[in-house]
Amino acid sequence: MTDRTTYVALAGMRRRGWSDAMVRDLLGTPDVQGRDPRRWSLAPMRLYLLARVETVERTPEFTEAAALCRTRAAASGVHAERRRAAVLTAIRAEPIEVPLLPGPELERRAVRHRHLLGARSPGPRREDAPPGKAAAGSAPVPPPSGALVRWQVSYLRHALARYEALLDGLYGETGRGEAERLLRRRLYEAIAAAYPPLARECRRRIEVER
């Protein structure tokens, strides 16, 4: 059986400062390749002889490749930071235009939007469940006033979904969460300014969704 202590896996290579491209270009074919008998995985096990790895690490080619890799990583980080700052600036400066609707029309749209959400997602919360159908000849059963406020805010938030495009170009953890929180806060603040009766629910959501 192979003495695994004299070999380095790809994860270990990365910890030593190797990129995948460096492993491919400087080491080539793994010294041991196959399936790991200790666990099931679609990816093949690749092991590199430690002595060969250490020999390559002492060459000028490795030093040059490692320096280039660090330079590229630093440049990528600078680009990501510039993009994050640009997106945050754009979110702060973007005018948020909330549709202004008469009260009855906003309520009608909010109820319809909630019905559509309820049809797509099973098991809505009891307090937010769409009002049931009224008996023939009777008036529709109105939702509880608190639920209606929530539905209106949800509808208006949905109506402002186009502003999500401001987040384009942010991926992973590089400022994405910060930008999303800032955008949500600006949208809820705009809704609260346009519809003062909804301000309390907007403030609640800002706190809950931060």
Side-chain angles (χ1 to χ4, degrees):
M1 182 175 179
T2 302
D3 182 0
R4 296 175 64 85
T5 62
T6 62
Y7 290 82
V8 184
L10 192 56
M13 298 293 293
R14 291 168 181 152
R15 287 193 293 270
R16 295 175 70 93
W18 290 69
S19 68
D20 291 2
M22 290 168 61
V23 172
R24 182 190 65 239
D25 296 341
L26 299 179
L27 288 176
T29 305
D31 297 290
V32 175
Q33 186 167 359
R35 299 293 177 185
D36 191 337
R38 299 173 302 174
R39 60 187 179 89
W40 183 89
S41 173
L42 292 176
M45 174 181 65
R46 290 181 289 176
L47 298 177
Y48 300 85
L49 189 64
L50 179 59
R52 187 160 74 97
V53 171
E54 292 176 336
T55 297
V56 173
E57 288 176 343
R58 291 191 290 269
T59 65
E61 291 79 9
F62 175 84
T63 302
E64 181 180 348
L68 180 60
C69 184
R70 289 192 296 270
T71 299
R72 288 175 175 171
S76 177
V78 169
H79 175 75
E81 175 58 26
R82 287 176 177 170
R83 178 59 185 162
R84 182 193 71 85
V87 168
L88 292 176
T89 298
I91 292 174
R92 293 187 183 101
E94 184 72 13
I96 307 298
E97 299 179 0
V98 181
L100 299 178
L101 303 169
E105 176 63 14
L106 176 58
E107 292 181 8
R108 185 188 69 79
R109 294 191 186 190
V111 170
R112 181 175 181 276
H113 179 66
R114 188 63 186 85
H115 271 291
L116 292 174
L117 289 179
R120 288 197 296 263
S121 56
R125 294 185 304 170
R126 184 178 183 85
E127 63 177 350
D128 285 348
K133 293 183 178 179
S138 62
V141 179
S145 58
L148 185 55
V149 168
R150 289 190 293 274
W151 297 358
Q152 290 177 78
V153 173
S154 294
Y155 167 74
L156 291 168
R157 178 68 179 82
H158 172 75
L160 299 175
R162 66 186 183 278
Y163 290 100
E164 299 288 344
L166 291 168
L167 299 171
D168 290 350
L170 287 181
Y171 305 99
E173 298 299 321
T174 310
R176 178 82 186 192
E178 180 183 3
E180 287 178 342
R181 288 190 295 272
L182 175 60
L183 179 59
R184 281 197 301 267
R185 181 169 62 80
R186 286 222 58 213
L187 295 179
Y188 285 132
E189 287 175 348
I191 293 172
Y195 296 92
L198 305 180
R200 181 176 181 181
E201 173 63 12
C202 290
R203 289 194 297 269
R204 184 189 72 82
R205 294 194 183 201
I206 290 173
E207 291 298 318
V208 170
E209 299 178 17
R210 64 162 87 183

